[in-house]
Amino acid sequence: MAKKMNVLMVGTGEYTTGITEVGASGSDKKIGVVALVMFDLRRRGKVERLVMAGTNGTKFASIRAHFESNIGGVYRDMDTSFESFPADDVARDVHAYKAAMDTMTRGDLCTIFTPDDTHMDIAMYAIERGIHVLITKPPVKTLQQHLELVEAARAHNVIVAVEVHKRWDPIYRDAWQRIHSGALGRFSFFASYMSQPKTQLHTFKRWAGKSSDISYYLNSHHVDFHCWALEGRARPVMVTAMGSTGIANSAPFNVDAEDVITLMVKWQDVTDETCVGTALYTASWSAPKSDVHSQQRFHFVGSEGEVTVDQAHRGYSTATDTAGYASVNPLFMKYTPDADGFFDGASGYGYRSFEAFVDAAAEIASQPHLAIGRRLDGKLAMAHAATT
């Protein structure tokens, strides 16, 4: 039987807990993702000890109440307990993750969902203690830091992977196979768009335009997908970027950040340098409220075919008196219980991304004498793969 894994969740924001700077999230992640998945993996016997670290301990009472009401009170046999750092009466401790990590042991797991400029220090502290790491995208913001992470992971023989859940989306995976196999020919053109409503400028006001921007936050999804699909077939050789302003930096947001950022990238075929392609990756957090929290789509054109994916619209919509019209996507996370009252979202690609990380760490634990190397390529978005 596989070893039950201990997990430290660093970061107490929307994606981990469903709680934001302004209270409960109004997005499609009202009860979060990371903690919910870990609670269910514990119910299923894959996870044992759960720890959470943030910077503000006074939030934990409301987080626990939120979990108990919206998770423990909704799903059968769902234990929402966890250890927390800093203590509940500590209003600010930016190094609480260190105290939490010092209670973990080599081979344990750590998820990092914090502002982008904090990823490097947190990840290195974990790696140096032999703890496997799953970092939200982008893992770091510079190539030099990325290379340092890869080298540290190799030296300490731990997993360092990036949480890019679209790799588990069945439609994206099918599109990846068609592109990567060469069935669509040489790469010619790619255009992606991903947005979130301008209310996110309130949600992320503490770090937006300071520690990161909308391109790091959202474009990273499609940049990762495109690089993954063209791995071994083409490589980026030139990049430029342009941004739009006027919404974020005005009332009521008053955030010094771009509204929309577009990356323009020139790609070159690896077997024929005369064959080049162009790519546009656009991300926005100034969109109006619509039928989805995130508009997400891309168009790929090859020399022998093309593919178009509209991730936001899967032919499934709902309408209620309270919420109005919505296009829903249970392929990401299914929040409705099954017929027996249990959580029923284990098949969602938002869930499977984390389960794959836990399973990979359990596999390593069963053979600790073997170097990780490339054993997990194809199973996880390993940090070292982005450097080849």
Side-chain angles (χ1 to χ4, degrees), residues 195-211:
S195 71
Q196 290 190 354
K198 55 178 64 73
T199 52
Q200 292 293 80
L201 290 167
H202 288 307
T203 300
F204 301 135
K205 189 168 186 174
R206 184 168 60 88
W207 59 261
K210 302 181 183 73
S211 64

Side-chain angles (χ1 to χ4, degrees), residues 168-171 314 328-334 347-351:
W168 280 264
D169 182 327
I171 293 177
R314 308 292 182 104
V328 293
N329 180 21
L331 295 180
F332 170 66
M333 283 287 284
K334 183 178 180 294
S347 63
Y349 59 85
Y351 186 112

Side-chain angles (χ1 to χ4, degrees), residues 165-214:
H165 46 258
K166 292 194 183 303
R167 291 192 179 205
W168 280 264
D169 182 327
I171 293 177
Y172 272 63
R173 287 189 74 89
D174 186 79
W176 171 84
Q177 177 61 33
R178 295 172 189 270
I179 297 168
H180 189 68
S181 68
L184 303 180
R186 297 181 188 273
F187 168 60
S188 179
F189 175 73
F190 183 93
S192 64
Y193 175 74
M194 191 166 182
S195 71
Q196 290 190 354
K198 55 178 64 73
T199 52
Q200 292 293 80
L201 290 167
H202 288 307
T203 300
F204 301 135
K205 189 168 186 174
R206 184 168 60 88
W207 59 261
K210 302 181 183 73
S211 64
S212 194
D213 58 38
I214 189 58

Side-chain angles (χ1 to χ4, degrees), residues 214-215 240-246 257-264 282-283:
I214 189 58
S215 185
T240 187
M242 296 185 70
S244 303
T245 58
E258 297 86 359
D259 308 325
V260 182
I261 294 177
T262 297
L263 307 179
M264 292 155 282
T282 298

Side-chain angles (χ1 to χ4, degrees), residues 5-9 34-43 46-53 64 79-85 104 109 111 358:
M5 308 306 297
N6 299 322
V7 182
L8 166 62
M9 298 169 278
V34 185
L36 172 60
V37 170
M38 294 305 166
F39 294 150
D40 194 58
L41 288 174
R42 179 168 59 187
R43 180 185 68 83
K46 291 192 173 188
V47 164
E48 191 164 40
R49 181 180 178 225
L50 288 178
V51 185
M52 190 179 297
R64 287 189 172 91
D79 174 12
T80 61
S81 63
F82 62 93
E83 300 168 48
S84 57
F85 293 81
M104 312 298 285
L109 282 63
T111 62
V358 172

Side-chain angles (χ1 to χ4, degrees), residues 26-354:
S27 76
D28 58 348
K29 305 172 186 68
K30 292 179 174 59
I31 54 176
V33 175
V34 185
L36 172 60
V37 170
M38 294 305 166
F39 294 150
D40 194 58
L41 288 174
R42 179 168 59 187
R43 180 185 68 83
R44 294 173 55 201
K46 291 192 173 188
V47 164
E48 191 164 40
R49 181 180 178 225
L50 288 178
V51 185
M52 190 179 297
T55 59
N56 181 357
T58 65
K59 288 174 56 177
F60 284 122
S62 62
I63 290 172
R64 287 189 172 91
H66 175 69
F67 284 162
E68 182 54 36
S69 174
N70 297 292
I71 298 177
V74 173
Y75 305 111
R76 181 177 169 185
D77 295 345
M78 191 74 92
D79 174 12
T80 61
S81 63
F82 62 93
E83 300 168 48
S84 57
F85 293 81
D88 287 14
D89 60 351
V90 176
R92 184 72 173 169
D93 181 359
V94 297
H95 297 296
Y97 71 88
K98 294 182 178 180
M101 222 168 280
D102 288 345
T103 71
M104 312 298 285
T105 59
R106 181 175 181 83
D108 287 345
L109 282 63
C110 173
T111 62
I112 301 174
F113 283 76
T114 59
D116 295 349
D117 60 347
T118 65
H119 294 175
M120 181 66 174
D121 289 345
I122 299 171
M124 288 298 288
Y125 198 84
I127 292 167
E128 290 167 355
R129 282 151 186 77
I131 297 172
H132 303 297
V133 177
L134 181 67
I135 316 173
T136 186
K137 42 68 187 169
V140 288
K141 295 174 64 180
T142 69
L143 175 60
Q144 182 57 42
Q145 287 187 332
H146 194 105
L147 294 174
E148 290 176 16
L149 273 187
V150 171
E151 182 55 37
R154 185 178 295 113
H156 293 276
N157 199 37
V158 297
I159 299 168
V160 176
V162 186
E163 202 285 310
V164 276
H165 46 258
K166 292 194 183 303
R167 291 192 179 205
W168 280 264
D169 182 327
I171 293 177
Y172 272 63
R173 287 189 74 89
D174 186 79
W176 171 84
Q177 177 61 33
R178 295 172 189 270
I179 297 168
H180 189 68
S181 68
L184 303 180
R186 297 181 188 273
F187 168 60
S188 179
F189 175 73
F190 183 93
S192 64
Y193 175 74
M194 191 166 182
S195 71
Q196 290 190 354
K198 55 178 64 73
T199 52
Q200 292 293 80
L201 290 167
H202 288 307
T203 300
F204 301 135
K205 189 168 186 174
R206 184 168 60 88
W207 59 261
K210 302 181 183 73
S211 64
S212 194
D213 58 38
I214 189 58
S215 185
Y216 278 117
Y217 177 58
L218 285 186
N219 265 334
S220 48
H221 274 301
H222 284 113
V223 169
D224 172 75
F225 173 81
H226 194 207
C227 291
W228 181 41
L230 292 183
E231 186 176 4
R233 301 185 58 82
R235 62 189 184 92
V237 294
M238 185 174 70
V239 60
T240 187
M242 296 185 70
S244 303
T245 58
I247 298 175
N249 59 10
S250 301
F253 309 108
N254 299 314
V255 174
D256 186 16
E258 297 86 359
D259 308 325
V260 182
I261 294 177
T262 297
L263 307 179
M264 292 155 282
V265 182
K266 177 181 177 180
W267 286 75
Q268 187 176 70
D269 191 90
V270 296
T271 60
D272 185 347
E273 294 185 354
T274 66
C275 293
V276 298
T278 55
L280 302 173
Y281 315 97
T282 298
S284 166
W285 50 17
S286 58
K289 182 179 180 180
S290 68
D291 59 327
V292 293
H293 182 65
S294 293
Q295 297 287 348
Q296 306 174 44
R297 52 186 179 266
F298 77 82
H299 181 203
F300 175 95
V301 180
S303 61
E304 299 174 32
E306 61 183 62
V307 60
T308 300
V309 173
D310 183 354
Q311 190 270 354
H313 302 99
R314 308 292 182 104
Y316 183 32
S317 62
T318 64
T320 66
D321 290 338
T322 55
Y325 177 77
S327 295
V328 293
N329 180 21
L331 295 180
F332 170 66
M333 283 287 284
K334 183 178 180 294
Y335 288 108
T336 52
D338 68 11
D340 295 316
F342 294 106
F343 177 70
D344 194 30
S347 63
Y349 59 85
Y351 186 112
R352 292 177 61 206
S353 175
F354 290 97

